[in-house]
Amino acid sequence: MQTSTAKKLSRQTLSQLPTTIAKPDYAIEKVETGIVHIGVGGFHRAHQAMYTDAFMAQTGDLSWGICGVGLREGDRRMQEALASQDHLFTLVEKHADGERSARVIGALTNFMLAVDNPKAVIEQLASPSVKLVSLTITEGGYNMDPSTGEFQSEDAAVQHDLKNPETPKQVFGYLMAGLKLRQERGLAPFTLLSCDNIQHNGSVLKKMLCAYIELADKEFAQWVTENVAFPNSMVDRITPTTTTDDIAQLAECGVDDAWPVVCEPFAQWIIEDSFCHDKPALDKVGAQFVQDVAPYEKLKLRMLNASHSILGLCGSLAGVQTIHECMQLDEFYHLLTVFMESEVAPTLDPVAGIDIKEYQQILLKRFANPNIKDTLTRICSQSSAKIPVFLLPTILDNLKHTGRYHIGAFTIACWYYYSARGCTQAGEPLHIDDSLATELKAGAQRGPEAFLKLTHIFGNLSQFSEFNHVYIDGVNRLQRGESVQSIITELSC
Ligand code: CS2
């Protein structure tokens, strides 16, 4: 419920907002668009937009504002919310002890909905002021076949874009059109920075984009390969889905914001120092430029994201709702500790400046933050794109090097049960929010073996008989009605 004194957020009302809310201390009206970001969700706003805002505040260099772009009709709600408040929004950091800090972020200069005007988006990408294009299009957004690592060219939107290069539908169509226009106009290409949770995200983006361009224009694909930089990056900040309670709480503090973002205090951004155009000195505000991002990515994906998926899939069957509630249960807390120590840590490479044990401890604390209320529904969404990136590489490494993979295998058993029955162990319905939901359900209903043979998710995992054995044992125990809690207690011994 909104209180009557809450001020609608806008440039005009900024100075009237309560003093407890930090505001951009730079001239917002002077900010120029230096970055185009595709995929403006909560995470982008809590992370890249926050870093950019801090950078502009600290350096006074206002040439790095962000123009957001939404490619889907589903982005209209965000476009309308942001447009209604001059593209300002509030970021609320919630600490474990209840402390909160809110600040208005002024980094967004605009938000364009591509479906409304594809030409304008292509023009924006070709604008001389744009030096960087960043992406958060989700793990599944790269159109990569997970079993072969190749571009899926038969996709309907890809075929559409090849025939209609001026009115594309998918991200690669836009990027190609923008880069082409820049080349025609003699402008340097922008750097393309993927901020998705994928190992070697920049290299994957390069491979997929160039594969797409090759279908249309081989010579231009060669030019892009040689002239565009695709730095890899590791991004981290837990950002739950904004709830109506979050909006109401902010209104009680005096700000009427249609779509604020809530996040944890922690943030990390490690970027490969490889740009083909100017870059903002984000290292002035806590980001790190390094030569090789791979060990950081591997650490984060295998420790944090995989642990999230484990809690998501196992916790859902046990009827738990959020990550921090899982962490309050000893069984889950121990499960994660053992998973990180005995299944993940042995597969990691040394990471400069990071003590892996300390990293684990910090993660457990971050997950336990009771004010973040990160739902298992969010974590389980799009598991078909997450599990192959977050968990499978660890299982496969352990199978190759005779390491432990029992917790990983049990998580897949839980996912099977979740997909086959669509309910918790107590029979409460669980929704499967996944673009491959039909396939997952159909595979699971044919039985656990058939589920594991969904090769574009699991690759050749079903060919490892020792894995099969452990996985089927987990499925049998679940089917006999043994509780998740009692199984994971045993697995954590
Ligand atoms: C989560 C991530 O989507 C997921 O399953 O693991 O969104 C996670 O919260 C972020 O990567 C944290 O940086």
Side-chain angles (χ1 to χ4, degrees):
M1 267 250 306
Q2 241 162 262
T3 57
S4 52
T5 51
K7 281 261 174 271
K8 173 70 190 163
L9 180 60
S10 73
R11 287 187 182 185
Q12 223 185 351
T13 55
L14 259 189
S15 60
Q16 299 156 36
L17 298 184
T19 49
T20 46
I21 314 277
K23 292 138 205 125
D25 46 5
Y26 50 89
I28 310 176
E29 65 290 350
K30 295 207 175 121
V31 175
E32 282 170 23
T33 299
I35 302 175
V36 172
H37 183 84
I38 304 182
V40 179
F43 180 72
H44 166 71
R45 297 192 294 147
H47 191 272
Q48 300 102 60
M50 175 283 293
Y51 276 98
T52 309
D53 178 79
F55 169 80
M56 295 200 287
Q58 181 158 325
T59 62
D61 175 355
L62 303 184
S63 61
W64 291 99
I66 304 171
C67 171
V69 170
L71 295 182
R72 302 162 312 159
E73 181 54 40
D75 295 317
R76 190 174 296 281
R77 218 159 60 82
M78 177 70 82
Q79 188 256 331
E80 286 173 355
L82 288 171
S84 76
Q85 48 199 46
D86 299 330
H87 303 99
L88 297 170
F89 65 90
T90 323
L91 179 63
V92 184
E93 291 181 10
K94 292 191 173 176
H95 296 248
D97 61 4
E99 190 197 318
R100 276 183 207 175
S101 52
R103 86 193 227 204
V104 174
I105 302 288
L108 290 183
T109 51
N110 193 6
F111 185 105
M112 303 172 89
L113 203 61
V115 283
D116 284 350
N117 193 346
K119 242 195 170 106
V121 171
I122 297 169
E123 272 299 329
Q124 179 63 72
L125 288 166
S127 154
S129 72
V130 169
K131 299 164 278 266
L132 178 65
V133 174
S134 54
L135 310 176
T136 44
I137 53 172
T138 77
E139 295 78 30
Y142 289 77
N143 219 20
M144 179 175 80
D145 181 332
S147 57
T148 60
E150 297 303 323
F151 185 66
Q152 292 170 313
S153 55
E154 65 290 353
D155 182 89
V158 168
Q159 290 303 324
H160 168 275
D161 289 6
L162 289 170
K163 288 188 202 104
N164 306 280
E166 283 172 20
T167 51
K169 284 191 172 163
Q170 44 102 45
V171 64
F172 302 116
Y174 276 100
L175 295 178
M176 174 174 168
L179 284 167
K180 192 127 207 198
L181 204 52
R182 294 182 82 94
Q183 190 207 36
E184 281 164 21
R185 293 179 182 170
L187 294 168
F190 43 69
T191 300
L192 261 167
L193 178 62
S194 165
C195 298
D196 282 297
N197 287 315
I198 299 182
Q199 177 94 46
H200 312 305
N201 52 12
S203 312
V204 168
L205 174 59
K206 179 173 188 174
K207 184 171 172 185
M208 298 305 119
L209 176 63
C210 291
Y212 169 74
I213 299 179
E214 194 143 310
L215 297 171
D217 182 341
K218 281 202 165 31
E219 210 177 302
F220 188 56
Q222 186 63 26
W223 185 87
V224 171
T225 307
E226 286 164 10
N227 293 284
V228 180
F230 297 80
N232 291 300
S233 77
M234 183 271 249
V235 290
D236 193 4
R237 184 165 231 192
I238 296 173
T239 311
T241 313
T242 305
T243 63
T244 45
D245 275 356
D246 295 325
I247 297 174
Q249 276 173 14
L250 198 58
E252 272 163 33
C253 301
V255 188
D256 172 8
D257 183 333
W259 205 331
V261 192
V262 168
C263 65
E264 62 169 344
F266 182 96
Q268 195 173 25
W269 197 1
I270 316 248
I271 311 165
E272 185 185 350
D273 198 356
S274 147
F275 285 67
C276 58
H277 207 314
D278 297 345
K279 65 171 194 246
L282 293 166
D283 47 339
K284 295 207 163 123
V285 287
Q288 271 172 270
F289 290 111
V290 300
Q291 289 310 311
D292 183 11
V293 176
Y296 298 93
E297 288 178 324
K298 193 169 172 185
L299 171 72
K300 193 255 171 171
L301 294 168
R302 293 189 181 200
M303 284 280 188
L304 185 153
N305 297 109
S307 296
H308 256 170
S309 293
I310 289 174
L311 294 181
L313 293 165
C314 305
S316 293
L317 289 197
V320 186
Q321 306 286 326
T322 62
I323 292 288
H324 79 274
E325 282 163 354
C326 283
M327 299 304 283
Q328 285 164 354
L329 301 167
D330 286 347
E331 303 91 329
F332 284 97
Y333 190 93
H334 290 308
L335 181 77
L336 274 205
T337 313
V338 175
F339 170 70
M340 290 198 254
E341 267 166 23
S342 51
E343 300 195 11
V344 182
T347 73
L348 297 175
D349 308 307
V351 195
I354 297 186
D355 175 300
I356 304 231
K357 279 217 170 329
E358 200 188 331
Y359 184 87
Q360 274 169 232
Q361 291 312 314
I362 295 174
L363 264 190
L364 292 169
K365 283 205 182 113
R366 290 170 62 195
F367 285 0
N369 184 335
N371 299 311
I372 291 301
K373 300 188 173 49
D374 201 7
T375 61
L376 301 193
T377 316
R378 178 185 87 86
I379 298 297
C380 292
S381 68
Q382 303 306 331
S383 284
S384 66
K386 292 176 179 176
I387 296 294
V389 182
F390 299 168
L391 185 58
L392 283 198
T394 302
I395 297 179
L396 290 169
D397 274 2
N398 284 323
L399 280 165
K400 260 183 235 142
H401 302 112
T402 59
R404 252 186 81 124
Y405 48 82
H406 290 63
I407 297 174
F410 181 65
T411 303
I412 310 280
C414 288
W415 192 20
Y416 157 75
Y417 185 101
Y418 187 129
S419 310
R421 304 203 180 187
C423 64
T424 66
Q425 284 196 297
E428 292 299 320
L430 287 171
H431 172 64
I432 305 178
D433 174 13
D434 199 303
S435 42
L436 297 188
T438 314
E439 213 167 315
L440 288 167
K441 273 189 221 162
Q445 274 154 10
R446 290 198 303 275
E449 287 87 2
F451 185 68
L452 206 60
K453 282 191 183 135
L454 295 171
T455 48
H456 53 291
I457 297 175
F458 296 111
N460 65 352
L461 191 59
S462 67
Q463 287 163 22
F464 291 88
S465 55
E466 62 279 39
F467 178 86
N468 261 292
H469 182 75
V470 180
Y471 159 70
I472 294 291
D473 182 55
V475 170
N476 289 339
R477 293 177 74 171
L478 288 169
Q479 283 176 337
R480 281 198 302 267
E482 230 180 289
S483 77
V484 165
Q485 283 94 329
S486 82
I487 304 174
I488 63 176
T489 304
E490 223 177 274
L491 290 177
S492 319
C493 285

